[in-house]
Amino acid sequence: MSNSDVRSYIERHEALIAPLHKDYNEKFWKLSLAGNNEEFEKALIEAKQKYLDVYNNRDEFQQLRQWKAAGLQLDELTAREFKLIFDGFVPNQMDPEVLRDIVRRETQIENLFNTFRANFDGGKASDNQLREILRTETNIARRRAAWEATKQVGHQVAPHLLELISIRNKEARELGYPDYYSMMFELQELDEKWVFSLFDRLEQLSEPAFTALKSELDSTLKEKFSVTESENYPWLYSDPFFQEFPQAGSTESLDDVFKDADIERLTRAHYESIGLNIDDLIRQADLYERDGKSQHAFCMDCDHRGDVRVLCNIRKNERWMSTMLHEFGHAVYDKYNDGSLPFLLRAPAHTLTTEAIAMLNGRMSKNPEWLTKIAGLPESEALRLSASALKTLRSEMLIFLRWAITLVRFERELYRDSGQNLNRLWWEYVERFQKVTPPPNRDQADWASKNHLATSPVYYQNYVLGELMASQLLHYIHQQVVKSESYVGQEAVGRFLVEKIFKPGARYDWNTMLKRATGEDLNPAHFIAQFV
Ligand SMILES: [Zn+2]
């Protein structure tokens, strides 16, 4: 075995996997645009299965293990690709029947989330309808009823999810990991101990600021809903998990700024101003609401060769402005890859790094410089609005951080010991990290109504790490790239991102890439300084 043998294996592997990747993405796209369509759904499951079958091949994995054990001297790119392929095989090393069973179970749970309608007010209500009530209703009894209804799906999902978790754990243990959670951390190149001690620090550092914000928010909300009791029950908040900042009247909304805006044009102008052209990406995107179309927003890279597609459902408000900036952040990362790298390396270094780029740009719709230069507001108006917008952004960050700490810590426990009293643990965490009072005598699987636990397992930590990286990048850009507190209108920003983040792709692990780009490891101090 030599470097060139491994090289030719990798080339064969890529030739096999690239079209399957494209096929899967195209089918995902088709289903997302068409909505409920059994035929498309079947096609998607088949495409996913074909892709997984490649990584399920146990003879091939045996060979990879032998090569790994032989300690071959490989060149840098070959070694990196070999590692990525090897890590792709690991979680799929199971009986093909078990793999099929897992795909089937995951799809079932996803369907349950998509199609479930809660019993409410003597009829059925969708998740969006219940959320709308939590956003607008002022009668506290009705708020409580709506909140309770948002949890019903979790009570249905929980037994299925627990079965799935025990299968995932069993397979991970057979592969020599303590559990599925630890396996996924290792395969995502995340050091579990380091991440959790980071979360400890974030919890401590954010405690005073969050406590202050929370008590101000609670009194505003209680006044608004004429609540006199001292408890802070979860139905006070506009989001079923209190993961978002409720618009509570203490801050001015930016929605007025965007009520007649051309969101698509502003997105293009934003990226153009930092030297990144997105005309082709806009042409390939599907940006407006339609019957049956997926209501979410996402970006996918079909071929690592420029077939990058963004799905949005633009409405003229600040949330969609921010979402468009976010999704096209993913898209420029994918577009400006290094065409000379092989397929597997023409991709972001990590989920957290592409989230960081998306978040860095998504935050701009609340930035005074952006509001003047891109949205065209008079400077005085932009300053006035952005004072409250920045307060909103800071509140959003704190609230999201505390929510993410709750979910990430809970998810680890879910895999470590799913036999413990999870219903109680959930509310212990919610009370401790989010300072929300548990409903009296509540013993229900409320946690299972969070779809990420079922459909994107061991993923949520990447959002927090992405926010931290976004703050680190912004700091570096201000200090070293632009050398002022400016971002918008600076072509040097785009050049920096392309050269130091996008082009390296996945050739380095995420932290090495970040260190090469900014001179330091992921450092939470920048996020703390910016928001806490
Ligand atoms: Zn994203």
Side-chain angles (χ1 to χ4, degrees):
M1 266 307 137
S2 67
N3 191 81
S4 70
D5 291 328
V6 177
R7 190 71 246 156
S8 59
Y9 164 75
I10 290 174
E11 277 158 22
R12 283 198 308 278
H13 177 81
E14 287 188 315
L16 177 67
I17 209 72
L20 295 179
H21 172 90
K22 188 171 168 73
D23 186 49
Y24 173 78
N25 278 280
E26 277 173 345
K27 294 198 159 123
F28 190 92
W29 181 254
K30 212 167 157 187
L31 183 64
S32 303
L33 294 182
N36 249 336
N37 180 316
E38 258 180 54
E39 186 197 331
F40 291 176
E41 194 179 311
K42 233 181 103 200
L44 177 67
I45 293 176
E46 268 170 32
K48 184 176 180 180
Q49 193 64 59
K50 263 192 218 159
Y51 185 86
L52 289 177
D53 281 346
V54 173
Y55 292 101
N56 183 231
N57 186 324
R58 279 178 293 180
D59 296 334
E60 195 170 322
F61 185 59
Q62 273 315 318
Q63 190 179 50
L64 297 181
R65 281 176 106 154
Q66 279 166 17
W67 290 352
K68 195 181 172 186
L72 298 171
Q73 286 301 313
L74 302 174
D75 67 75
E76 189 199 328
L77 289 188
T78 305
R80 183 68 190 151
E81 279 201 279
F82 182 78
K83 180 177 192 302
L84 294 178
I85 293 171
F86 190 90
D87 287 357
F89 272 84
V90 172
N92 294 299
Q93 288 314 298
M94 52 185 82
D95 190 90
E97 277 312 305
V98 177
L99 190 64
R100 263 163 230 283
D101 184 42
I102 289 178
V103 172
R104 189 178 55 79
R105 285 167 186 272
E106 286 173 344
T107 314
Q108 252 173 12
I109 295 181
E110 244 164 76
N111 267 333
L112 196 55
F113 271 109
N114 288 340
T115 56
F116 185 83
R117 297 292 179 271
N119 294 315
F120 181 71
D121 251 4
K124 297 279 182 193
S126 72
D127 199 45
N128 273 336
Q129 287 167 322
L130 297 171
R131 282 168 182 270
E132 189 58 27
I133 293 170
L134 289 174
R135 266 196 298 277
T136 54
E137 177 64 58
T138 52
N139 178 306
I140 198 72
R142 204 170 137 78
R143 294 186 64 81
R144 179 178 184 162
W147 178 85
E148 283 173 351
T150 64
K151 301 297 161 193
Q152 290 171 19
V153 64
H155 311 154
Q156 301 257 323
V157 164
H160 302 289
L161 178 55
L162 287 170
E163 279 173 19
L164 189 55
I165 285 170
S166 93
I167 298 170
R168 285 174 181 160
N169 270 342
K170 183 172 166 280
E171 295 301 322
R173 285 177 186 135
E174 273 174 24
L175 291 165
Y177 294 90
D179 52 42
Y180 179 80
Y181 193 87
S182 295
M183 176 175 87
M184 293 309 283
F185 255 67
E186 199 175 311
L187 295 176
Q188 289 179 58
E189 303 188 305
L190 293 174
D191 181 336
E192 193 177 333
K193 252 179 136 170
W194 179 82
V195 169
F196 278 84
S197 76
L198 175 67
F199 273 53
D200 281 343
R201 257 179 83 199
L202 290 170
E203 183 200 339
Q204 281 164 15
L205 289 169
S206 62
E207 183 76 18
F210 181 71
T211 307
L213 155 75
K214 179 76 171 27
S215 83
E216 189 193 327
L217 179 64
D218 286 338
S219 52
T220 311
L221 292 171
K222 283 179 187 172
E223 200 183 307
K224 191 172 169 189
F225 306 138
S226 315
V227 170
T228 50
E229 63 201 4
S230 60
E231 289 84 357
N232 307 312
Y233 288 126
W235 41 87
L236 278 177
Y237 311 103
S238 59
D239 174 277
F241 296 97
F242 186 37
Q243 67 178 77
E244 282 171 11
F245 177 56
Q247 286 293 341
S250 62
T251 50
E252 206 170 347
S253 162
L254 276 173
D255 284 347
D256 268 356
V257 174
F258 300 104
K259 71 177 196 296
D260 300 312
D262 182 343
I263 305 268
E264 185 182 322
R265 188 185 66 76
L266 294 177
T267 306
R268 186 186 271 125
H270 166 75
Y271 283 101
E272 199 70 50
S273 90
I274 55 170
L276 303 176
N277 182 287
I278 61 165
D279 290 352
D280 50 344
L281 300 171
I282 295 255
R283 272 197 303 277
Q284 287 155 206
D286 195 296
L287 299 178
Y288 298 95
E289 285 183 272
R290 249 194 339 271
D291 261 1
K293 177 180 157 182
S294 161
Q295 298 177 58
H296 303 279
F298 62 79
C299 169
M300 54 162 52
D301 185 353
C302 294
D303 60 359
H304 303 186
R305 282 255 180 248
D307 184 356
V308 178
R309 305 182 197 178
V310 170
L311 182 143
C312 278
N313 289 277
I314 296 179
R315 289 198 172 184
K316 291 178 187 290
N317 58 34
E318 197 268 332
R319 192 174 78 87
W320 276 104
M321 185 68 249
S322 175
T323 303
M324 280 286 284
L325 294 171
H326 178 108
E327 295 307 333
F328 280 90
H330 289 301
V332 289
Y333 200 151
D334 294 334
K335 171 184 168 172
Y336 288 96
N337 65 28
D338 179 349
S340 71
L341 284 174
F343 173 79
L344 284 173
L345 302 182
R346 293 195 308 270
H350 197 277
T351 314
L352 83 89
T353 65
T354 180
E355 283 306 335
I357 298 300
M359 287 160 166
L360 175 65
N361 290 287
R363 290 174 186 171
M364 287 296 154
S365 57
K366 297 188 179 72
N367 177 299
E369 185 191 32
W370 191 94
L371 288 167
T372 346
K373 286 189 183 165
I374 304 295
L377 291 190
E379 205 167 333
S380 58
E381 175 83 351
L383 277 173
R384 189 181 62 77
L385 278 171
S386 64
S388 77
L390 286 175
K391 190 179 169 198
T392 303
L393 181 61
R394 181 171 174 270
S395 308
E396 277 176 0
M397 287 295 165
L398 279 169
I399 287 169
F400 180 75
L401 176 66
R402 303 294 290 206
W403 152 248
I405 291 174
T406 307
L407 193 79
V408 169
R409 287 204 171 282
F410 180 81
E411 189 174 25
R412 179 161 73 157
E413 286 302 313
L414 193 54
Y415 284 93
R416 273 185 170 178
D417 177 12
S418 60
Q420 61 185 311
N421 190 334
L422 293 167
N423 301 352
R424 197 175 63 206
L425 183 72
W426 173 253
W427 282 108
E428 271 173 32
Y429 280 3
V430 171
E431 188 168 30
R432 175 170 148 205
F433 302 124
Q434 297 183 276
K435 303 191 189 300
V436 172
T437 312
N441 310 315
R442 183 112 182 142
D443 182 16
Q444 304 261 31
D446 296 329
W447 47 273
S449 62
K450 184 64 198 169
N451 61 337
H452 284 73
L453 289 175
T455 57
S456 311
V458 202
Y459 189 92
Y460 227 76
Q461 68 284 347
N462 290 319
Y463 291 128
V464 176
L465 299 172
E467 294 285 9
L468 302 185
M469 179 174 155
S471 292
Q472 183 167 331
L473 284 177
L474 184 65
H475 177 81
Y476 183 83
I477 286 168
H478 284 163
Q479 297 289 313
Q480 303 295 332
V481 178
V482 182
K483 298 189 167 44
S484 78
E485 294 290 298
S486 174
Y487 182 97
V488 181
Q490 307 288 345
E491 292 195 356
V493 171
R495 277 200 301 275
F496 164 73
L497 294 177
V498 170
E499 290 306 320
K500 298 291 184 177
I501 314 276
F502 303 166
K503 277 194 174 167
R507 65 184 297 169
Y508 310 111
D509 70 84
W510 65 270
N511 203 34
T512 304
M513 181 278 283
L514 184 60
K515 200 168 179 176
R516 292 174 65 100
T518 66
E520 60 176 349
D521 293 322
L522 184 64
N523 178 358
H526 304 297
F527 178 87
I528 300 289
Q530 199 181 353
F531 298 114
V532 183

